[in-house]
């Protein structure tokens, strides 16, 4: 096996069953990265608490998401897959990093301002400190690189600033400044044809949906609004069905839709049926594997516990060095 290039970290909130947006935006890339890097993938449940109104679904969502990740091809024997809160050192590092992070900067971040607008009645302390916890997630595991899309680049830049502040304040090089691994993260639009695909907007198509459910969801997709009648020519460039064809259909089919839509040679219903057929064919191996894995939930928990144990080894090592760099009194388990 070729030597890997280094360690990559990425995390995602436990949102339960994953949809096409999650797949095209993250999971597909997670799977591919495993060939080149030692990957650490975290289900960041503590982050989820900053915006959740209720935690009833948290455990169920965690297991559903892990199932999707494994079924999609994340290999637990190669990559570390774990739940953020199972390695509590991240909370300790978050606190220590918060001492070198200016509050003024945190409250000026565009993402924080956006969150205030989204949940004005729940502007909690965790929401402000979110970027600090995110930094702790990355540096705790000494990740050299983080895959980020263009949208998230400022977040990682801020994480790098926090690392520099910490290393400067304590005159150390104990924390690694993570590098950006620029990744093309397509914005996947939902069935409404307008907003980013999201469960909360109910405009999503689940990976684990049955072929019939998938067809039904695809049939609800909004198409080119100018194409009112079957004989009206359409514009695939403004149609989200066409965007998904580009991700899941063959080159010939994409060409055909591109040409025939413009001259009203294909109707939207047929175009959607073709998309659903290709989507179902693409997802069939995933669904089979998922159904197999779902028969044994204990296995999924074992994977997550094993991942946490492996992540803990790295985390404990980092924290020993971090505590020493800060000058905290030695703990009993560190003094022997
Ligand atoms: Fe969209 Fe296909 Fe209808 Fe063209 S034919 S508007 S690409 S659904």
């Amino acid at each position: 096996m070729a030597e890997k290039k280094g360690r990559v970290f990425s995390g995602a909130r436990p949102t339960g069953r994953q949809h096409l947006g999650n797949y095209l935006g993250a999971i597909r890339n997670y799977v591919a990265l495993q060939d080149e890097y030692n990957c650490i993938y975290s289900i960041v449940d503590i982050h989820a608490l900053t915006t959740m109104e209720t935690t009833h679904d948290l455990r169920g969502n965690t297991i559903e998401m892990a199932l999707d990740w494994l079924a999609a091809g994340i290999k637990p024997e190669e990559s570390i897959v774990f739940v953020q809160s199972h390695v509590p050192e991240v909370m300790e590092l978050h606190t220590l990093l918060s001492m070198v992070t200016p509050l003024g900067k945190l409250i000026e971040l565009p993402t924080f301002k956006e969150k205030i607008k989204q949940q004005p009645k729940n502007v909690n302390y965790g929401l402000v400190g979110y970027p600090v916890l995110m930094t702790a997630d990355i540096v705790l595991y000494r990740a050299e690189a983080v895959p980020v899309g263009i949208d998230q680049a400022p977040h990682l830049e801020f994480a790098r600033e926090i690392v520099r502040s910490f290393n400067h304040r304590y005159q150390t090089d104990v924390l690694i400044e993570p590098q950006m691994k620029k990744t093309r993260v397509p914005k996947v639009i939902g069935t409404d044809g307008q907003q980013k695909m999201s469960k909360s907007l109910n405009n999503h198509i689940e990976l684990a949906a049955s072929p019939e459910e998938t067809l039904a969801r695809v049939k609800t997709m909004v198409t080119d609004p100018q194409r009112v009648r079957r004989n009206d020519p359409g514009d695939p460039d403004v149609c989200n069905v066409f965007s998904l064809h580009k991700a899941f259909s063959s080159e010939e089919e994409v060409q055909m839709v591109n040409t025939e839509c413009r001259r009203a040679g294909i109707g939207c219903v047929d175009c959607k049926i073709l998309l659903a057929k290709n989507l179902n064919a693409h997802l069939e191996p995933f669904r089979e594997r998922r159904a197999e894995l779902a028969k044994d939930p204990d296995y999924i928990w074992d994977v997550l516990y094993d991942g946490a144990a492996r992540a803990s080894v790295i985390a404990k090592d980092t924290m020993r060095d971090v505590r020493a760099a800060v000058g905290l009194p030695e703990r009993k388990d560190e003094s022997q």
Side-chain angles (χ1 to χ4, degrees):
M1 196 188 290
E3 199 168 317
K4 299 206 176 176
K5 289 182 188 164
R7 192 177 286 155
V8 151
F9 175 93
S10 190
R13 292 172 179 227
T15 50
R17 288 182 170 217
Q18 302 290 279
H19 53 65
L20 292 181
N22 305 127
Y23 177 68
L24 296 173
I27 301 173
R28 203 171 52 161
N29 190 36
Y30 282 5
V31 173
L33 281 169
Q34 296 177 116
D35 293 336
E36 286 184 68
Y37 293 89
N38 294 310
C39 300
I40 302 186
Y41 297 132
S42 178
I43 298 178
V44 290
D45 53 345
I46 303 296
H47 281 294
L49 299 180
T50 60
T51 53
M52 281 178 105
E53 281 169 19
T54 159
T55 54
H56 293 153
D57 297 333
L58 196 51
R59 290 181 181 185
N61 281 347
T62 299
I63 200 87
E64 291 287 350
M65 185 157 142
L67 254 173
D68 278 345
W69 280 9
L70 300 184
I74 292 178
K75 301 176 202 153
E77 60 284 3
E78 277 185 35
S79 302
I80 294 179
V81 185
F82 75 108
V83 177
Q84 182 189 28
S85 65
H86 288 179
V87 185
E89 280 82 0
V90 76
M91 268 71 91
E92 183 186 356
L93 184 55
H94 164 249
T95 303
L96 295 179
L97 294 179
S98 73
M99 308 302 168
V100 297
T101 309
L103 182 60
K105 192 124 196 209
L106 284 171
I107 58 177
E108 283 306 316
L109 288 175
T111 40
F112 176 61
K113 291 182 173 171
E114 211 175 285
K115 288 284 179 216
I116 295 179
K117 276 193 212 147
Q118 285 168 3
Q119 52 183 66
K121 293 194 177 138
N122 183 19
V123 183
N124 58 70
Y125 170 73
L127 208 54
V128 189
Y130 178 90
V132 188
L133 182 58
M134 191 194 86
T135 307
D137 279 321
I138 301 165
V139 297
L140 182 62
Y141 303 108
R142 297 190 154 135
E144 282 109 353
V146 179
V148 286
I150 197 92
D151 287 4
Q152 303 137 329
H155 300 166
L156 190 65
E157 196 41 60
F158 189 54
R160 287 158 54 87
E161 271 180 43
I162 296 174
V163 170
R164 285 197 292 270
S165 298
F166 180 93
N167 285 348
H168 180 73
R169 163 86 71 91
Y170 298 111
Q171 291 299 296
T172 179
D173 57 3
V174 72
L175 296 184
I176 296 175
E177 226 180 284
Q179 301 300 310
M180 254 175 241
K181 175 154 180 52
K182 285 209 178 113
T183 311
R184 207 184 77 77
V185 180
K187 186 175 177 189
V188 182
I189 303 297
T191 52
D192 56 10
Q194 305 221 322
Q195 306 197 68
K196 201 172 159 187
M197 190 175 282
S198 146
K199 254 185 166 177
S200 56
L201 296 171
N202 194 22
N203 66 356
H204 62 298
I205 299 172
E206 280 181 3
L207 302 177
S210 68
E212 297 73 27
E213 286 164 346
T214 303
L215 176 62
R217 289 298 268 190
V218 170
K219 278 189 174 169
T220 68
M221 286 180 75
V222 173
T223 61
D224 174 5
Q226 302 297 322
R227 196 174 185 200
V228 182
R229 289 174 299 268
R230 169 67 180 79
N231 291 340
D232 294 335
D235 180 359
D237 293 331
V238 300
C239 178
N240 192 29
V241 175
F242 186 58
S243 309
L244 290 184
H245 268 299
K246 287 195 264 188
F248 295 101
S249 300
S250 68
E251 250 176 63
E252 295 73 38
E253 286 166 329
V254 171
Q255 289 275 354
M256 182 277 287
V257 171
N258 195 13
T259 309
E260 295 304 320
C261 171
R262 291 176 201 281
R263 61 181 187 205
I266 183 171
C268 291
V269 174
D270 288 339
C271 186
K272 288 175 175 180
I273 290 172
L274 179 64
L275 173 63
K277 179 174 91 64
N278 292 339
L279 256 176
N280 285 326
H282 185 91
L283 292 172
E284 195 182 329
F286 161 87
R287 288 169 180 165
E288 279 173 9
R289 186 159 157 68
R290 190 186 202 279
E292 231 6 79
L293 288 166
K295 287 181 191 162
D296 186 4
D298 287 349
Y299 168 74
I300 308 296
W301 283 116
D302 285 346
V303 164
L304 296 175
Y305 293 148
D306 176 65
R310 287 152 67 201
S312 273
V313 173
I314 309 169
K316 285 189 191 321
D317 192 53
T318 306
M319 286 315 295
R320 193 176 308 114
D321 292 349
V322 165
R323 285 188 211 106
V326 172
L328 293 172
E330 247 179 355
R331 289 178 2 175
K332 195 172 177 192
D333 60 349
E334 290 172 343
S335 62
Q336 288 142 9

